[in-house]
Amino acid sequence: MDKLILQYLHTDVLIAGGGTAGCYAALNLARNTKLHILIAEKAHIKRSGCLAAGVNALNAYITKNHTVDSYVDYAEHDAAGIARGDLLFTMSQRLNDCAADLERLGLVILKNPDGSYVERGPRNIKINGENIKPILAAAVSKLPSVEVYNHTSIIDFIVKNNTIYGAVAVNVLKPILYIIKAKTVLCCTGGASGIYRSNNPGFSRHKMWYCPFNTGAGMAAGMRSGAEMTTLEMRFIALRCKDTIAPTGTIAQGVGARQINSRGEIYEKKYGMETSNRLYGTVEEIIAGNGPCYLQTKGISPEQVLDLKKAYLNMAPAQTLRWLEQGTPDHNNVEIEGTEPYIVGGHAAAGFWISTKRQTTIKGLFAAGDTAGGCPQKYVTGTMAEAAIAAENIIKYHQSSAVSDDNIINFTQIAQYYQQKEEKYLTAAPGIFTIQDIEDAMQKNMDNYAGGIKTNYKYNSAGLTIACKAIVKLYETAQSLSAGNMRELTLIHELLDRLTICRFLIKHLEARQETRWHSFAENSDYPTIDNSFYKYVNSRLENGTVKIIYRPIIKRGEYYEHTN
C-alpha cells in the first residue's frame, strides 16, 4: 500500500462524530457564532450514528400534566439514585424546545385533531422518524461555517498538560492521516457496542440493539488522554423482541402489552417496573423454567396491529416482516429476550465525567450524547439538549481567555509519530491472529467472566480478575496486527478502543461492591444494595493504571465545576 498522505486541518471547533448530537451541536454553534466548525464523521452524516435507520418516537418529552421535575424524578428513580441531578435538570428544561426545533427542520410529529402531539406514553410522543438523520444532515449542509469530513475516523486526541489541542484521524477509504488542530473539541462519537458476545452470533452478530459501528472511539481516546470517566458499571442491556432486536417499548407503551411467561402469568410487577428490573424479571423467569417470555399482544385490535406495523417500519422493519411471515401480533404474543451489555450515556449513565457546562476534566474537551456520563434517559431530544448546552458553553469558552495557544504543541512531531505507527499496521506481514480472532476472544472473555449473556449477566471478583488479565494480553497482541487497507486499519482501531473500554469497565464493575441495578450490574459477591455505595464510581488513567475515584451525589439545582 502507498505511504500515508499527511494532511493538516485547522478549525476553531472540532466535533468528533456527526450523529444526532454532533449535527445538532453544529447547528447551534452556527446559529450563535462565526467560529469555524469541522465535523469528523466515520461514516456519512446523512445516515450515521444510532438514528441512521430512524426512530418512531421521541422518548424524552414533557407531556401534558407532567413537569421538568417529574422527568428528573423518573430518571433518578430508574437509576436507583446514581445520576447527576444537575445534568438531568438542565437537560429536561430543553426537551420540548428540541422537539419543536426538529419539527421546524421538517420532522413529522403526529398530531391530534386539536393540534396537540400524539402521546405514546407518559414521556413520549409519536413521530414519523425514518428520515430524522437526513433532516439533521441536510440542515448542517446549509451552514457556511461548517465543514464536514465524512469517512474520517478519530483515533486519538492531542492533549498536553490536561488541555486539548485537536485530534488525530484517518480516512476510512483513502490512505490519508489527518492532524486536526482545534481550539476546542466536542466529543459526540457515541457509546460502545461489540464488547460482549452477541446473542445473534456468526453471520448475524451485528444484529444488535446499539449501532454496531459505535465502538467507543471518543471515550477510549479520552481514557488514554487521562480524562475522568463515570458510572461505566451501569451497563445498558436492552429488553428486545427476540431475533429481530426490535424495541419492546413500542409495544409495551403503544398497546399496553404486559410481560408474561409461558404459563400466561404477568410477572413484571413481581420484580419491579424499572428498566433494569424488566430485563431481570425476564431472565429470572427463564432460569426458573417459566420461559419463553412474551409481550402479551394477543387480542389487540386491527387498528393497533396496523399502528405497530407502521411504527416498526420507521426503525426496525425486520419486526414488521416477521409478522408478515409468521402471523400478526393479535394472533401471536411477541417473544422477548435481553441483548448483550453496552456502554452508553444516553439510556444508562456511562461516559465522561463532565461539569454542568458539559466540559470534561480535560480543558477544552466537551462531551454530549452517549459519550457524556451521569445523565441517563436522554434519548433523542435529551441528546440534542445536551449538544445545545455544550455548544453554548463552547462559545463562552472561546469568548473568555480560556483558549490556549497551540504553539506549545509540536504538531510535526505528533504527525511523524502517528504516521510511523499507522504505517506499521499497513506494512506488517499477516500474523498468526486476525482482527476477527482477537475480537472474538475479547467478546468470549467478557461474556464468560464479566457478566455477559452466558452467565445471565452475573459476575464476581474471581471472574473479573481473569477477564482483566485476558484483556491486557489481548491489547498487547493487537499491537502486532496487520491491515491490508484503510478499512482494516479502522477495524484495528475499533478493536483497540473496545479493549480500552473493557479494561476500564472491569475496574468499575469491581469497584461497585453491591448490586444496585439487577442485570445491569449483577455482582454475585454483593447481591444487594449497600447504601455506602450511594456515590459515583469514577476512574482515570494515572501512570498506566486505572485509578478508581469515588465522588458524592450531585443534586438538581446544584452547579458542578471540576476542582480536583
Side-chain angles (χ1 to χ4, degrees), residues 42 155 191-198 205-206 208 210-221 223-224 232 340-343 435-436 438-440 442-443 445-446 471-472 474-475 478 487 490-506:
K42 182 167 68 173
I155 61 173
S193 64
I195 58 178
Y196 284 84
R197 187 157 52 185
S198 170
R205 67 183 179 274
H206 286 120
M208 55 179 61
Y210 196 62
C211 176
F213 309 107
N214 281 8
T215 58
M219 285 196 286
M223 290 170 176
R224 291 189 292 265
L232 303 182
E340 66 275 20
Y342 306 93
I343 306 304
I435 301 167
Q436 190 63 56
I438 299 180
E439 181 178 302
D440 289 343
M442 171 193 69
Q443 291 175 346
N445 173 74
M446 295 297 289
I471 292 299
V472 170
L474 288 170
Y475 193 91
R487 177 60 188 144
T490 302
L491 290 175
I492 290 175
H493 283 292
E494 290 178 340
L495 174 62
L496 292 171
D497 290 338
R498 285 171 166 143
L499 287 166
T500 298
I501 290 172
C502 286
R503 183 184 174 198
F504 274 71
L505 169 61
I506 290 166

Side-chain angles (χ1 to χ4, degrees), residues 6 48 63 88 107 144 146 161 176 186 188 208 236 245 287 325 327 375 381 391 443 501 509 514 530 556:
L6 182 63
S48 65
T63 54
L88 281 169
L107 179 70
V146 178
N161 299 330
I176 303 174
L186 174 59
C188 300
M208 55 179 61
F236 187 76
I245 314 300
I287 291 173
E325 294 171 351
C375 186
T381 43
Q443 291 175 346
I501 290 172
L509 294 173
E514 64 168 354
D530 182 345
R556 76 189 83 178

Side-chain angles (χ1 to χ4, degrees), residues 144-156:
S145 61
V146 178
E147 194 172 4
V148 178
Y149 275 71
N150 290 308
H151 311 301
T152 300
S153 180
I154 299 293
I155 61 173
D156 257 329

Side-chain angles (χ1 to χ4, degrees), residues 379-438:
Y379 307 113
V380 177
T381 43
T383 289
M384 294 168 63
E386 202 157 57
I389 294 168
E392 288 176 7
N393 286 294
I394 286 171
I395 293 170
K396 291 177 183 177
Y397 186 89
H398 279 263
Q399 291 171 342
S400 70
S401 58
V403 176
S404 300
D405 183 5
D406 65 6
N407 289 328
I408 68 169
I409 298 293
N410 189 331
F411 286 101
T412 301
Q413 191 176 60
I414 289 171
Q416 290 173 345
Y417 168 79
Y418 279 98
Q419 192 164 21
Q420 292 174 2
K421 183 171 175 285
E422 301 310 304
E423 287 179 349
K424 176 188 171 186
Y425 291 122
L426 290 166
T427 57
I432 299 174
F433 302 108
T434 65
I435 301 167
Q436 190 63 56
D437 289 336
I438 299 180

Side-chain angles (χ1 to χ4, degrees), residues 49-60:
C50 298
L51 297 187
V55 66
N56 58 35
L58 298 179
N59 290 326

Side-chain angles (χ1 to χ4, degrees), residues 80 513-518 526-534:
Q513 297 179 359
E514 64 168 354
T515 294
R516 185 164 291 266
W517 315 284
H518 283 302
Y526 306 94
T528 59
I529 288 178
D530 182 345
N531 286 329
S532 68
F533 281 90
Y534 179 56

Side-chain angles (χ1 to χ4, degrees), residues 290-432:
N290 296 329
C293 293
Y294 303 89
L295 284 173
Q296 190 176 30
T297 57
K298 279 187 179 180
I300 63 174
S301 69
E303 292 78 17
Q304 288 175 314
V305 172
L306 183 60
D307 284 346
L308 288 178
K309 287 181 178 179
K310 288 179 179 178
Y312 281 116
L313 283 174
N314 277 321
M315 63 183 298
Q319 187 61 38
T320 301
L321 293 173
R322 188 184 184 97
W323 283 328
L324 292 174
E325 294 171 351
Q326 300 182 8
T328 53
D330 54 336
H331 292 100
N332 298 292
N333 291 322
V334 178
E335 188 176 351
I336 55 178
E337 66 179 352
T339 64
E340 66 275 20
Y342 306 93
I343 306 304
V344 295
H347 285 63
F352 284 102
W353 179 249
I354 55 178
S355 68
T356 310
K357 296 177 180 178
R358 274 58 180 184
Q359 185 172 198
T360 73
T361 54
I362 294 176
K363 185 180 177 184
L365 174 62
F366 294 75
D370 275 337
T371 65
C375 186
Q377 314 297 350
K378 282 195 276 271
Y379 307 113
V380 177
T381 43
T383 289
M384 294 168 63
E386 202 157 57
I389 294 168
E392 288 176 7
N393 286 294
I394 286 171
I395 293 170
K396 291 177 183 177
Y397 186 89
H398 279 263
Q399 291 171 342
S400 70
S401 58
V403 176
S404 300
D405 183 5
D406 65 6
N407 289 328
I408 68 169
I409 298 293
N410 189 331
F411 286 101
T412 301
Q413 191 176 60
I414 289 171
Q416 290 173 345
Y417 168 79
Y418 279 98
Q419 192 164 21
Q420 292 174 2
K421 183 171 175 285
E422 301 310 304
E423 287 179 349
K424 176 188 171 186
Y425 291 122
L426 290 166
T427 57
I432 299 174

